[in-house]
Amino acid sequence: MTLESWGRFPRTTARIVPLHWRTDAPFAGAGPFLPHGLGRSYGDECLNDGGVLIRTRSLDRFIALDEDRALLTCEAGVTLSEILKLVEPLGFGLPVVPGTKLVTVGGAIANDVHGKNHHRAGTFGAHVEELELLRSTGERIVCSRASHAPLFAATVGGLGLTGVIVSATIRLRRQPSPRVDAETLAIRDLREFFDLSLESDARFEYTVAWIDCLARGRHLGRGILHRGNPAQEIPPPPRSSRRLAVPFELPVSPLNGFTVRAFNAAYYLRHRLSGGTRRVPRDPFFFPLDGVDRWNRIYGRAGFFQFQCQLPPGAAEPGLREILSTVAAAGEGSFLAVLKNFGEATSPGLLSFPREGSTVALDFPNRGSRTLRLFERLHAAVREHGGRIYPAKDALMPADQFQTQHRRELPAFRAQLDPAFSSSLWRRVNPGE
């Protein structure tokens, strides 16, 4: 079967083995094997070209909910959307959500996803109490920070390479409402982002900025800061809403320097004029793109690449200046440009991406060699400033860059790998394995 990731690059082939029950044994035939949920990773981390993908989406059952202890146990194919639908009427929420709720629990753990409140809550994996892992030998291991701790640390953020997560127990957060008291502020430049972020992180649960990455000179880093706190109210019953959709695949991307520049100017002006505080529903604040089904089609048949990096505190501002200047000079602006700070919280995962500092995420249509040259310059800037690339969003990181950014963790991680598991990403960044 031909498959692609959410970024639609690369296109690969794999044999699909559905996993319907936690007691099933999906390892018949030759591997290598890799678990696969909804395939919302942007690069090749969720692909296994020439191998076997063990599809876990049918593991979609809730197992237990302990309201007194705020613990939910469910199978790994349950989506974050399904969890929120179950627990929000009971006064609970998830402590950490990424930019989409259309991901499985197994995928959220394997990528140790983060959200707009990393400075308060850390990563998704920090709220996983235990998980059940199915190894290629047929062994089923329940691991946590206290039991089989090295395997737990390798599995959280472990890119699906230690086995198949079949279930997990997650710590919920108590919340009277899923709504957010949100505020938007215009940012004149990158320096103002850092000044406002420092103040915002101290006062607000959620902070994130949209950046006009085509702005240059004294306007470099201008954008809109979104910040908010959970609303302390009992919400009215939710209204049903229709999702928009990109109705067909575009032959080429309509996103170019002209259209992105026009969009960025309009977006900045709109929020600058309408800024202020208001109470907003959960989805527009946390998951704005989930309202448009198959939005990845707007990038055309060639797909797109996402560049997301983390830069340590001392190097964050100069590193971001170099990255944003490089993008602006190339004229390859991204209308999806997200900037935020990571806090000091450490993840239990060995290879987890978030570290204290700043992170920026940018999307670029795949225009062949022109885009590849841009990524070479961006990767070089990250190396120069001691940063890291997010594997879940990556399709182009050089092998030596992956090895360098994980040089301390890789020996312990390799000791926990399931030898029958691999992925297109793992083989790309570990030539010969």
Side-chain angles (χ1 to χ4, degrees):
M1 181 177 180
T2 301
L3 296 117
E4 59 189 21
S5 65
W6 190 249
R8 312 194 71 191
F9 179 94
R11 290 182 172 88
T12 63
T13 59
R15 182 166 62 92
I16 305 297
V17 175
L19 187 60
H20 296 291
W21 301 97
R22 301 195 302 278
T23 54
D24 287 349
F27 302 116
F33 301 96
L34 183 73
H36 187 273
L38 286 174
R40 293 299 289 256
S41 299
Y42 284 37
D44 53 1
E45 182 261 352
C46 63
L47 301 175
N48 190 14
D49 193 28
V52 178
L53 289 177
I54 301 173
R55 186 155 282 169
T56 61
R57 179 64 181 106
S58 294
L59 295 179
D60 59 356
R61 303 163 190 90
F62 293 102
I63 299 170
L65 175 60
D66 186 333
E67 295 188 49
D68 291 334
R69 299 170 62 203
L71 295 176
L72 173 71
T73 302
C74 65
E75 293 182 330
V78 172
T79 67
L80 304 191
S81 176
E82 290 163 344
I83 291 177
L84 293 172
K85 185 177 180 180
L86 172 73
V87 304
E88 283 181 344
L90 303 173
F92 295 100
L94 286 166
V96 173
V97 292
T100 174
K101 63 182 184 296
L102 304 177
V103 296
T104 64
V105 166
I109 296 172
N111 292 291
D112 199 13
V113 297
H114 57 272
K116 296 175 174 64
N117 61 341
H118 183 272
H119 60 288
R120 296 280 183 90
T123 64
F124 190 90
H127 305 274
V128 176
E129 292 293 301
E130 67 178 28
L131 57 88
E132 182 184 358
L133 193 69
L134 174 62
R135 304 276 275 184
S136 63
T137 59
E139 185 180 11
R140 299 171 186 275
I141 304 172
V142 176
C143 51
S144 65
R145 294 169 186 79
S147 176
H148 301 282
L151 184 57
F152 180 81
T155 302
V156 174
L159 312 174
L161 298 171
T162 62
V164 181
I165 301 169
V166 293
S167 68
T169 298
I170 304 160
R171 188 167 60 252
L172 303 174
R173 65 175 293 167
R174 299 183 187 277
Q175 61 180 36
S177 169
R179 295 188 178 191
V180 177
D181 288 329
E183 182 178 5
T184 57
L185 299 169
I187 306 168
R188 290 172 294 185
D189 54 31
L190 193 60
R191 180 65 256 163
E192 190 168 35
F193 162 78
F194 282 100
D195 291 341
L196 279 174
S197 291
L198 188 65
E199 179 249 334
S200 297
D201 287 352
R203 295 175 46 217
F204 291 87
E205 175 82 10
Y206 310 112
T207 62
V208 69
W210 167 86
I211 297 297
D212 179 358
C213 60
L214 286 177
R216 305 173 74 169
R218 64 188 178 90
H219 298 299
L220 184 76
R222 78 170 180 180
I224 303 295
L225 181 71
H226 301 273
R227 60 190 189 181
N229 284 313
Q232 301 300 312
E233 54 134 15
I234 304 299
R239 297 178 181 178
S240 61
S241 59
R242 291 184 60 189
R243 294 176 66 194
L244 302 174
V246 178
F248 52 84
E249 179 180 74
L250 303 178
V252 296
S253 173
L255 302 177
N256 53 48
F258 176 79
T259 57
V260 172
R261 188 171 285 106
F263 171 88
N264 286 359
Y267 187 88
Y268 179 77
L269 181 62
R270 173 194 167 199
H271 284 84
R272 182 179 179 183
L273 295 176
S274 64
T277 303
R278 62 192 185 279
R279 184 158 291 173
V280 297
R282 172 245 289 159
D283 281 16
F285 187 84
F286 291 108
F287 317 118
L289 288 178
D290 283 354
V292 183
D293 194 26
R294 292 303 303 271
W295 60 263
N296 57 346
R297 288 179 171 180
I298 67 173
Y299 289 96
R301 292 172 183 165
F304 72 99
F305 299 111
Q306 183 168 108
F307 167 83
Q308 182 166 6
C309 73
Q310 173 269 347
L311 297 167
E317 186 169 353
L320 286 168
R321 288 191 182 279
E322 181 175 351
I323 288 167
L324 294 175
S325 297
T326 299
V327 171
E332 290 285 328
S334 164
F335 79 98
L336 291 175
V338 177
L339 176 61
K340 74 168 270 79
N341 286 334
F342 287 143
E344 298 177 355
T346 58
S347 167
L350 282 172
L351 299 190
S352 293
F353 168 69
R355 296 286 193 278
E356 184 182 6
S358 300
T359 181
V360 64
L362 309 168
D363 289 353
F364 300 96
N366 179 8
R367 295 196 174 99
S369 59
R370 174 179 168 185
T371 309
L372 298 183
R373 288 193 298 271
L374 172 61
F375 268 70
E376 288 174 0
R377 295 194 291 273
L378 295 177
H379 289 149
V382 174
R383 283 195 298 270
E384 178 185 348
H385 294 280
R388 299 153 56 88
I389 303 294
Y390 191 12
K393 303 290 185 72
D394 171 67
L396 298 172
M397 174 174 31
D400 62 341
Q401 191 153 4
F402 178 86
Q403 298 293 325
T404 299
Q405 74 180 33
H406 293 299
R407 62 185 179 277
R408 293 188 181 91
E409 305 91 4
L410 278 173
F413 179 72
R414 282 194 168 93
Q416 303 301 324
L417 284 172
D418 188 311
F421 278 61
S422 185
S423 69
S424 294
L425 165 71
W426 186 250
R427 294 188 292 274
R428 173 168 59 87
V429 297
N430 293 276
E433 290 193 22

